[in-house]
Amino acid sequence: MTALRQPRTREEPALNRGLLTLVGAQFLSAFGDNAILFTVISMTLKAGDRGAWYIPALQSAFLVAYVTLTPWVGTLADRYPKPRILFFANLVKGLGALAIFFGIDPLLGYALVGVGAASYGPAKYGIIPELTSTQNLVRANGWVEGATIAAILFGTVGGARLADRSAGLALATVIGLYLISGLATFLLPGRVVPSPANGRSAWGNLMAWMRALLGSLRARFILLALSLFWAAAATLRVVLVAWAPEALGATSASAIADLTFFMAIGIVVGAGLVPRLIPLDRVRRTRFAAYAMGTLFVLLALVTDVLTAKVALFCIGLCGGMFVVPLNAAVQEIGHGGVGSGGAVAVQNFFQNSAILLGMGIYSIAAGHGAGPVATILVLGGLVWLATVIVALRLPRTPLTDG
C-alpha cells in the first residue's frame, strides 16, 4: 500500500519580481544621487570662479530638505501608495538635475534633488514589508542596502569621470537614470497599509518620539556620538575637494572621487567585520574604533602622496563602519522597547542630518574666511577624540552597553 505524501510547502523566493524591481530602481536612483554631486563638483572646479565656501554650501542645500521635511515624509509614505511616492520623488530629483542642465545655479537645483531624496527614503524602506514575507525581511533589506552601497561606489567614480569629459552628458545621464528608476516603480504593487491614527500632527509625532527616546541617558549619548560622527565624516568628504589639490595635486573630480571611493570601501569592510568584533552587548567597544578614526584624521592631514592618502581613507572608513553599525543597532534596540524602531530611526535621522547641516554650515563660513583644508581636518580629528572621551565617560554601563 502506497503511503500518502503530504504536500510540500513551497517557500517564497527571497528575491521575487517586486523586490528585484525595487532593488533595480534603488540602484539607479542612488547612482544618480551620487553622480550628480560629483558632476556639480566637476563643474565648480572647472569654472574656478567660486570660493571655497561653495561646495560645502551645496551639501548644505541638499540636506535642508532632510531636516525640514522629516516629520512629513514618513506620513506621506503611509498615506499614499508607496510606488507613487517613489515615482514623484524621482521626478523631483530629475527636475533638479534638469534645472542645473539649463543653467540654474547648482545650489537651487541640488536643493531640489534633496527634496526628492528626502521623500524617497521612507517610501523605499516602507514598501519592503509589502514585497516580501517576514522571514525574508532581513535578507530583503540586505539586498536594498547592497544596491545602495554599490550605487554609492560606482555612482561616485562613474559620475565624476563622465562629468570630467562632459558635464552636460553627465547631467543628461543622471536625468535618464531618474526617469528609468521612476518608471520602474509602476511595476510595484500599489497599496496603502494604514497606520493607526493618534491625533497628533507630523511634528507632534516627532517631538513625542524625541521626548521618549531622549529620556534614556544611554540613548542621548549614543545619538550624540552618531550625530557627531556623521557630521565629521560628511565634512571630511567635502574638505577632500579642497585638500586633494593642495596636498596631492589632484585637480579633477574623478581623482577626488577615487579618494572617497576608498573611504566607502573601508566602511563596507568595517560593517562586515563588526558582527564578530563588536556584538550588541559589547557596544562600548566602539570607542576604540572612534579613537583610531580621530588619530587617522590627524595623520591624513599630514599626508602628501596619493597612495598613502587612499590607505588612510580606507582605514578611516574601516573604523567608521565598525563604529556606526553597532550604535545603529543599539538605537534600534532601545527604540524597539519604547517608541518603536521606526520612531527611533526617524529621531536618529533628524539629529544626524541636523548635525551634518550644522557642520557643513560652519565649514562653509570658515572656508569663506580663509580656513585651510589641512587645519580643518586636524580640527575634525580633535573633535572626534573629544566627543569620544565625553561619550565614553558618560555612557552608562548597562547590560546592553557593558563592554
Side-chain angles (χ1 to χ4, degrees), residues 2 23 69 109 128 137 139 182 210 216 298:
T2 305
V23 168
L69 298 182
I128 295 176
L137 197 55
R139 191 177 300 178
M210 282 186 187
S216 162
V298 175

Side-chain angles (χ1 to χ4, degrees), residues 31-113:
F31 189 106
D33 292 347
N34 288 274
I36 193 171
L37 171 60
F38 277 88
T39 298
V40 174
I41 288 175
S42 176
M43 293 168 63
T44 304
L45 292 175
K46 288 178 180 177
D49 57 354
R50 294 187 173 105
W53 61 272
Y54 191 81
I55 290 177
L58 273 172
Q59 283 286 73
S60 299
F62 181 84
L63 290 166
V64 165
Y66 274 90
V67 176
T68 57
L69 298 182
T70 294
W72 289 280
V73 289
T75 303
L76 193 69
D78 289 335
R79 187 169 297 173
Y80 299 100
K82 295 175 182 65
R84 301 296 83 82
I85 301 296
L86 295 174
F87 171 76
F88 284 110
N90 274 306
L91 183 62
V92 172
K93 290 181 185 182
L95 290 175
L98 191 65
I100 299 172
F101 183 87
F102 283 110
I104 302 295
D105 193 299
L107 281 174
L108 298 176
Y110 198 46
L112 191 57
V113 174

Side-chain angles (χ1 to χ4, degrees), residues 82-163:
K82 295 175 182 65
R84 301 296 83 82
I85 301 296
L86 295 174
F87 171 76
F88 284 110
N90 274 306
L91 183 62
V92 172
K93 290 181 185 182
L95 290 175
L98 191 65
I100 299 172
F101 183 87
F102 283 110
I104 302 295
D105 193 299
L107 281 174
L108 298 176
Y110 198 46
L112 191 57
V113 174
V115 172
S119 305
Y120 190 94
K124 171 188 69 178
Y125 287 111
I127 200 174
I128 295 176
E130 301 176 17
L131 299 177
T132 190
S133 60
T134 302
Q135 61 265 31
N136 286 325
L137 197 55
V138 173
R139 191 177 300 178
N141 273 276
W143 278 102
V144 174
E145 287 301 318
T148 305
I149 291 169
I152 291 171
L153 296 176
F154 293 110
T156 295
V157 176
R161 278 169 167 68
L162 191 59

Side-chain angles (χ1 to χ4, degrees), residues 278 285-294 318-320 322-323 384:
I278 309 178
R285 292 179 183 173
T286 57
R287 67 189 186 276
F288 300 118
Y291 287 137
M293 186 169 60
L318 181 73
C319 294
M322 295 175 65
F323 178 79
V384 170

Side-chain angles (χ1 to χ4, degrees), residues 173-376:
T173 301
V174 168
I175 294 168
L177 292 174
Y178 287 145
L179 180 61
I180 297 171
S181 176
L183 292 175
T185 62
F186 283 103
L187 301 176
L188 297 172
R191 62 191 180 97
V192 179
V193 179
S195 56
N198 55 24
R200 289 195 295 259
S201 66
W203 268 107
N205 278 328
L206 184 62
M207 293 300 107
W209 293 335
M210 282 186 187
R211 285 192 296 270
L213 193 60
L214 297 180
S216 162
L217 180 65
R218 176 174 58 200
R220 287 204 299 271
F221 280 99
I222 290 177
L223 286 171
L224 172 65
L226 284 169
S227 298
L228 290 176
F229 164 78
W230 282 115
T235 304
L236 176 63
R237 188 185 188 193
V238 172
V239 173
L240 289 177
V241 178
W243 176 79
E246 179 179 306
L248 308 178
T251 57
S252 67
S254 56
I256 296 168
D258 287 345
L259 296 174
T260 62
F261 178 86
F262 275 84
M263 186 164 63
I265 288 290
I267 292 174
V268 173
V269 174
L273 291 175
V274 77
R276 296 185 178 184
L277 300 177
I278 309 178
L280 191 57
D281 60 348
R282 293 291 184 267
V283 76
R284 284 179 58 88
R285 292 179 183 173
T286 57
R287 67 189 186 276
F288 300 118
Y291 287 137
M293 186 169 60
T295 303
L296 287 164
F297 270 60
V298 175
L299 294 177
L300 178 67
L302 307 177
V303 168
T304 57
D305 68 280
V306 174
L307 179 59
T308 307
K310 289 179 178 178
V311 172
L313 287 166
F314 173 84
C315 292
I316 287 173
L318 181 73
C319 294
M322 295 175 65
F323 178 79
V324 167
V325 171
L327 293 187
N328 280 342
V331 170
Q332 292 172 21
E333 179 69 19
I334 295 168
H336 182 70
V339 301
S341 296
V345 170
V347 173
Q348 179 184 349
N349 287 341
F350 180 82
F351 279 111
Q352 287 178 187
N353 288 314
S354 297
I356 295 171
L357 185 59
L358 179 62
M360 290 293 174
I362 293 173
Y363 174 56
S364 182
I365 294 171
H369 286 80
V374 172
T376 302

Side-chain angles (χ1 to χ4, degrees), residues 373-392:
V374 172
T376 302
I377 294 175
L378 289 172
V379 170
L380 288 174
L383 288 175
V384 170
W385 257 87
L386 178 62
T388 305
V389 170
I390 293 172
V391 172

